[in-house]
Each structure stands twice: as C-alpha cells, then as structure tokens.
Amino acid sequence: MRSHYCGQLNETLVDQTVTLCGWVHRRRDHGGVIFLDMRDRDGVAQVVVDPDTAEAFANADRARSEYVLRIQGRVRLRPEGTQNPNMPTGLIEVLAKEVEVLNTAATPPFQLDEHGKVGEEVRLKYRYIDLRRPEMIDKLRLRSRISHSVRAFLEGQGFLDIETPVLTRATPEGARDYLVPSRTHAGSFFALPQSPQLFKQLLMVAGFDRYYQIAKCFRDEDLRADRQPEFTQIDLEASFVSEDDIMGVSEAMIRQLFREVLQVELPEFPRMAYAEAMARFGSDKPDLRIPLELTDVDDLMSQVDFKVFSGPASAEDGRVAALRVPGGAKLSRKEIDAYTKFVGIYGAKGLAWIKVNERAKGLEGLQSPIVKFMENVVEALLDRVGAEDGDIIFFGADQKRIVDEALGALRVKLGEDLGLYTCEWAPLWVVDFPMFEDDGSARMQALHHPFTAPSCDVETLKRDPVSALSRAYDMVLNGTELGGGSIRIHDQAMQRAVLEVLGIDEQEAREKFGFLLDALQYGAPPHGGLAFGLDRLVMLMAGARTIREVIAFPKTQSAGCLMTDAPGGVSQEQLRELNIRLRQKAKVEEPQA
C-alpha cells in the first residue's frame, strides 16, 4: 500500500511520486489549503492538499487527529522561509494527488505531541496510543537494535541460540514462583521459570559448550522501578571456562554494544571485592560516578559517652559510618530533615550530622546538635574523613545492614540531587561474594543461588560455611546491576554439600533437584555463565527512569495490566477442569446494636 515511510522522505526524492500510509499527527487549514502532518513509525512528513484536487481535498477536510490515511503525491521542496531544519523531513513536503481515509479514529485520551503531560496510569491503560508517540517508538527501536547486536556478537563467539522450557517445576531461586495448574495431572502444578538456570547447566552436561538465549523469566515478587513480574534476560553459559573467560566475553559484548548503538567507548571495568564495596559504598552495586564514600568510625565512636553511637560501635553486628559531602554545609535544615526522612525508608532511626563551617576555630567552627557528645574524638573524626570548610558529615549508627542500606541510598540521592557525577558511564565488576547469608530465617540462604560454586573445597565448606566465598561476579553500571553470574558446581559431592548447608535434606534434594544431581554423575564439565537484565540494560542506554518505559506492554507496580485488566477471574467450568476450588474469605458479621 505504501512506497515509502514518512520519515524516509528527503530532498533526493524531489519530483518523485510517493505513497504514504499512516496517522494524522496534526491538521491545519490555512486559507483554503490543508496541511496534514502524517506520522508513522519512522517519522513525520508534511502533506499539502490543494482545493483543486476536489476528492482529495474533501477527504483531507474531514480527517482528524489519528485518522488512518493513505496518501499519494509528488515530493517537492518547501518554499523558502517555510523549511524546518530541526525536522528530518523539514526541507520537503508532499503535494497530495489522492487522499484515502482508511479508518476514522475517536478523539485520543491524550495528545501525542512532545508537550503532552499525562499520568502513567492513563498511558498504560491506553498503551496502544502511548506507543504511537515518537519517543516510545525510539525506545522500542533501541531495544530491537540492542537485541540484534547481542545476538550477532554471541553467535560470532560460537554461542548457540537454544530455547529452554517455559513450563517447568518449582525450584528455589530467591523469589516466589508463578504456578500453573495442570489439567492432565490433577493436583500438580508447573512453574514459570525464574531463569533458565538448571536447563542451561544441563545443556553444558549435554556437551553444547556455548549456549545463549534471550529468555522470558517470571518472578512473583514485590515490584520497584526496575522490576517486573515478567522480564527478559540475556542468558549465556559456556563449558571449560574460568571466571576470567566469562567476564571477558561479557565485557567485550557490552563494550561492542555501547560502541555500535550509542557510539560510546566505555572506560575500564575495575574489579572490586564485595566486602570492599559494602565498606566503602554501602552497596554491592555502587555508582562510581559519585565521589562520596563511607568511612568507618566505630573505633572512635566506641569512646564517646553517647549510646546512640557507642552502642552500635561496640556491637558485633553494628556499624557507625560517616559520609562526608564536600560543600554540603550549604544544605538548609529543611533539606537535612528531608534526607532524615529519606533514610527512614531503610530503617534508620535518624540522621546525625555536623556542618564544618570553619575548622580552624575548633568546636566553635562546627555546627551540630551532637558535637557536645564527642568533643574527645571530634578532631580525630574530622581528620579521618578529610573534612574541609564548607563540608557536611552525615552519620549512620545501627545494625550494619541498616547503616549500609541507609547511607548507601543517601549517597546515591545526594549524588543526584547535588549533581556530583564525575563522568557519564562508570562500569565495574563486583567479585568475591559470600556463599551464604543469614536473613534471620531458620536456614542459611544462598546469596546468589544454590548452584554457584564456592571457592573452597567440600571439607572447608562444611567446616566453616559462613566464611566461604563464592565464584560469583556481577557487572554493575552506574549503580545498576546489569548482570550476575558465576562458575557453577559441576561435582555432585559439592552440590550435595551446598544443599546440606542450606538445610535441604536428601529427600527434599531428590524431590526438587534429582534430575540435576543425576546429570552431575555423567561427566559434567566445568562450566559457568551470566545473565543480563535486558530491560535494565535498555533502560540505562535509553536514559529512561523505569523499565516500564522500555517494555511494550508492562505491568504496574501491583503486577497488573491496566489495558487488559489482567489478572482476571475465570469461569467455574475452567476451575473444575483444573480440579481447583477457590476458598472464599469468611464474611465478618456486623456487631449487633
């Protein structure tokens, strides 16, 4: 039906006849001449309709915003003074000979031009309209280019694109599974995969050597700006490799991707141990663009007569840390109160601070409600953090986990609010993660997943699991975890030992992972891999605020779809076929007067 996309037109096509199909972006009537801005996925082109083409003019006259038209006409240069150099097609226009209305359109629920302001709920409800906006088209086009680049790179490195099952069985991966009832196996359930983890390991046992997949994954978890119940990951696995091999090919892929798509040459990828990242930045995915660091002051605060500080400083699981903000003394009390409220989100009970107005004056040059409690250590404290005139020093004092999360988040927020970024892109690898973590439950938990290889032998692991490090690695970019991976366990004895540490007995291990334990008996090669979050990657490269901006049809933060009204109810007949009966909530009787 068309010869060209609207955005393809330029001055090389002058005097040629073209056929365009698209939507009316804007209609203007100027003294009997009708101007139509025609839009499709490639851009916008101006069409001029004169009254001397009666039928075309009549159709153009009744066209309104978002009508679907087919237009045939001759390309010509715009008259002098009407050209638009800010528009790719701004030097030319199309003089219409035929205008055909392919479909009419109701008035859209919001304007599609770049000045339109509309809430996200309305945009998601009418997503098919929202996706017509050029900026949304650009983001999904970018996503397509990224996927293409990734596939081309990995296939060039000898990786095979292999699909793994979407209907599988529930396995512990750190989040709730989405369950699918089986009609043919009454009382049994499939689970949608949280990742293709076990299947890609089995492909290595099968000898495929190098696998990749751009895979749909599902997690029934609480959502944030960078989470969705269904998401996409770039999944890869290889045999006979070390950590350096996997990290090397992954880094090369990301470098080439940024070079091809954004024309950006990424800087070096430093490596940082997990313990160092937590100590310096309070996060295992630190944003290295921000030149602020946490400083431990436990030894100093244990000497003060102020239990808010001395208590955590002396506790085994406590931490007192300082965060110096150069030039931060200009912050108002109102701003400091807002930051105090912010860290409360992470469990902090407060936010102590000292403003360094004039250090040479000693205590008189400091402004703070807490200085009087630490006169004996204040000079050593200022030296420790490198305080200078005009700085503010924030303090966190609590359980280590709370201090890390609160000050780590505050560091990021200050970096954004105060414009402290020192560069555009700051990648790194975080390595040497602990094997296990204690989250307060009866069992220890795997920090990554239970198939990650430890860096010690079986006997050492069993003797001191708390101190064991894993052979895991995370790629971080600008404070966002792009991907995580590890060398996997390929030895059955080691896999049993890890499951044992996690409190998974033989019966439970057989029930959940019997197929994997069996496979490890038959010559499993050393192997490892990594999975990148494609949605997060596109979000970063597009400069978007949330991954909902780079997914065609995303869910809300409550895991619902406003457009289709999913999830929804099903009929009693469907439930009977699945042998499911819904339990009704008991009605609460109203108290009698």
Side-chain angles (χ1 to χ4, degrees):
M1 293 182 73
R2 63 155 64 95
S3 64
H4 296 78
Y5 284 96
C6 295
Q8 293 176 341
L9 303 186
N10 56 46
E11 56 272 29
T12 65
L13 298 173
V14 169
D15 290 332
Q16 292 189 29
T17 297
V18 297
T19 304
L20 307 177
C21 293
W23 289 262
V24 177
H25 189 63
R26 190 177 293 107
R27 176 188 176 279
R28 307 182 303 282
D29 193 334
H30 288 180
V33 177
I34 295 175
F35 290 84
L36 299 175
D37 288 344
M38 285 290 293
R39 186 194 70 245
D40 58 25
R41 73 170 198 185
D42 270 14
V44 177
Q46 178 172 284
V47 176
V48 182
V49 190
D50 287 332
D52 55 359
T53 52
E55 184 178 353
F57 189 83
N59 285 335
D61 189 46
R62 69 186 184 94
R64 294 295 181 268
S65 178
E66 300 309 306
Y67 273 36
V68 186
L69 305 184
R70 176 178 177 273
I71 292 176
Q72 188 177 82
R74 179 175 60 84
V75 179
R76 68 182 187 185
L77 290 173
R78 291 194 190 188
E80 197 71 34
T82 66
Q83 297 176 340
N84 184 355
N86 299 319
M87 186 177 175
T89 60
L91 298 180
I92 55 90
E93 62 188 14
V94 176
L95 179 61
K97 297 177 181 177
E98 298 177 12
V99 176
E100 180 183 357
V101 177
L102 299 177
N103 209 344
T104 61
T107 302
F110 50 86
Q111 293 297 317
L112 272 67
D113 60 51
E114 62 273 23
H115 305 295
K117 299 286 185 181
V118 64
E120 187 180 51
E121 284 195 7
V122 177
R123 290 176 54 205
L124 292 182
K125 182 174 177 61
Y126 298 96
R127 188 63 163 183
Y128 43 86
I129 299 293
D130 188 46
L131 290 176
R132 292 180 185 176
R133 295 191 301 122
E135 67 177 89
M136 292 304 298
I137 292 173
D138 288 345
K139 287 171 183 173
L140 293 185
R141 192 190 298 275
L142 174 68
R143 185 181 179 116
S144 177
R145 291 180 63 197
I146 289 170
S147 296
H148 175 76
S149 178
V150 164
R151 290 184 186 279
F153 177 86
L154 290 175
E155 287 173 9
Q157 295 291 318
F159 286 81
L160 302 177
D161 183 0
I162 304 175
E163 294 181 349
T164 53
V166 172
L167 292 176
T168 180
R169 68 170 295 136
T171 57
E173 294 243 12
R176 297 183 190 92
D177 288 311
Y178 275 102
L179 300 178
V180 181
S182 171
R183 180 182 60 82
T184 55
H185 299 272
S188 296
F189 294 80
F190 294 105
L192 302 181
Q194 295 185 34
S195 82
Q197 182 61 45
L198 297 183
F199 289 103
K200 66 179 181 179
Q201 288 191 241
L202 294 174
L203 286 170
M204 297 303 102
V205 177
F208 281 91
D209 197 71
R210 290 194 166 200
Y211 139 97
Y212 88 94
Q213 182 182 189
I214 297 183
K216 271 285 188 182
C217 303
F218 308 85
R219 292 181 185 177
D220 187 7
E221 60 183 349
D222 296 332
L223 306 180
R224 299 192 296 273
D226 60 348
R227 297 286 176 93
Q228 282 278 294
E230 56 177 310
F231 57 96
T232 307
Q233 66 184 37
I234 304 165
D235 207 50
L236 59 95
E237 197 83 2
S239 297
F240 306 106
V241 291
S242 66
E243 292 93 327
D244 287 343
D245 295 324
I246 295 293
M247 293 163 74
V249 74
S250 301
E251 185 176 320
M253 181 186 79
I254 294 298
R255 283 188 177 282
Q256 179 167 310
L257 179 63
F258 272 72
R259 190 180 301 121
E260 283 186 357
V261 177
L262 297 184
Q263 290 74 55
V264 167
E265 200 66 48
L266 288 175
E268 293 300 313
F269 282 65
R271 296 190 184 187
M272 183 180 298
Y274 169 88
E276 180 184 350
M278 297 304 296
R280 293 173 60 190
F281 307 107
S283 171
D284 60 357
K285 46 181 183 293
D287 189 340
L288 297 187
R289 296 174 301 168
I290 302 168
L292 304 180
E293 294 193 21
L294 278 59
T295 303
D296 280 317
V297 291
D298 298 270
D299 58 326
L300 298 176
M301 294 308 181
S302 63
Q303 305 172 37
V304 304
D305 189 21
F306 187 40
K307 290 185 178 180
V308 171
F309 282 171
S310 61
S314 304
E316 185 177 350
D317 64 343
R319 184 184 189 189
V320 183
L323 179 66
R324 179 178 76 93
V325 184
K330 64 186 177 184
L331 292 173
S332 68
R333 186 57 189 265
K334 182 179 179 181
E335 290 173 312
I336 293 173
D337 288 345
Y339 287 128
T340 302
K341 185 176 179 180
F342 173 77
V343 297
I345 298 171
Y346 302 89
K349 300 179 183 69
L351 183 63
W353 52 273
I354 297 175
K355 285 186 177 182
V356 184
N357 295 324
E358 195 171 347
R359 186 172 175 184
K361 290 185 177 180
L363 294 177
E364 292 182 2
L366 305 179
Q367 178 184 348
S368 170
I370 64 168
V371 169
K372 59 187 176 184
F373 300 113
M374 54 178 68
E375 292 183 7
N376 58 321
V377 300
V378 71
E379 277 302 319
L381 170 67
L382 297 177
D383 287 340
R384 174 79 57 88
V385 301
E388 298 179 359
D389 291 353
D391 294 349
I392 191 171
I393 306 166
F394 290 112
F395 297 90
D398 210 310
Q399 295 178 8
K400 184 178 184 301
R401 176 185 59 81
I402 292 175
V403 172
D404 288 346
E405 291 184 3
L407 287 190
L410 177 63
R411 172 183 174 271
V412 172
K413 184 165 180 58
L414 287 165
E416 181 177 357
D417 291 351
L418 303 180
L420 301 178
Y421 298 131
T422 60
C423 57
E424 186 176 5
W425 301 103
L428 81 153
W429 287 103
V430 178
V431 297
D432 295 335
F433 287 86
M435 255 311 268
F436 308 105
E437 62 179 344
D438 183 357
D439 63 358
S441 62
R443 292 177 170 180
M444 294 187 72
Q445 303 295 321
L447 193 64
H448 277 76
H449 54 63
F451 319 110
T452 296
S455 56
C456 59
D457 58 32
V458 172
E459 294 306 316
T460 304
L461 180 77
K462 289 182 176 181
R463 185 171 60 251
D464 187 13
V466 175
S467 301
L469 298 180
S470 69
R471 299 178 67 183
Y473 34 80
D474 282 0
M475 181 186 286
V476 177
L477 181 64
N478 292 3
T480 296
E481 179 195 328
L482 279 189
S486 66
I487 299 300
R488 323 300 188 187
I489 298 170
H490 69 281
D491 174 72
Q492 190 187 64
M494 178 61 82
Q495 186 65 76
R496 289 184 184 278
V498 168
L499 296 177
E500 182 181 322
V501 170
L502 294 172
I504 299 175
D505 60 26
E506 182 66 24
Q507 181 178 346
E508 186 180 359
R510 289 302 312 172
E511 179 184 346
K512 292 183 175 179
F513 311 114
F515 61 96
L516 175 66
L517 295 172
D518 289 343
L520 294 180
Q521 297 180 94
Y522 295 102
H527 60 283
L530 187 142
F532 288 97
L534 177 61
D535 309 301
R536 291 185 191 178
L537 179 59
V538 180
M539 177 183 75
L540 274 179
M541 296 180 72
R545 298 289 295 183
T546 76
I547 61 173
R548 293 189 296 279
E549 290 293 309
V550 297
I551 298 173
F553 299 102
K555 304 294 188 291
T556 64
Q557 289 201 13
S558 60
C561 176
L562 295 176
M563 184 180 67
T564 63
D565 203 23
V570 297
S571 69
Q572 287 298 318
E573 181 181 354
Q574 288 174 293
L575 292 175
R576 280 195 297 271
E577 285 182 341
L578 296 169
N579 299 287
I580 290 176
R581 178 182 296 168
L582 297 181
R583 185 173 63 187
Q584 301 297 327
K585 290 184 178 180
K587 293 183 179 179
V588 179
E589 294 185 5
E590 294 291 333
Q592 296 183 355

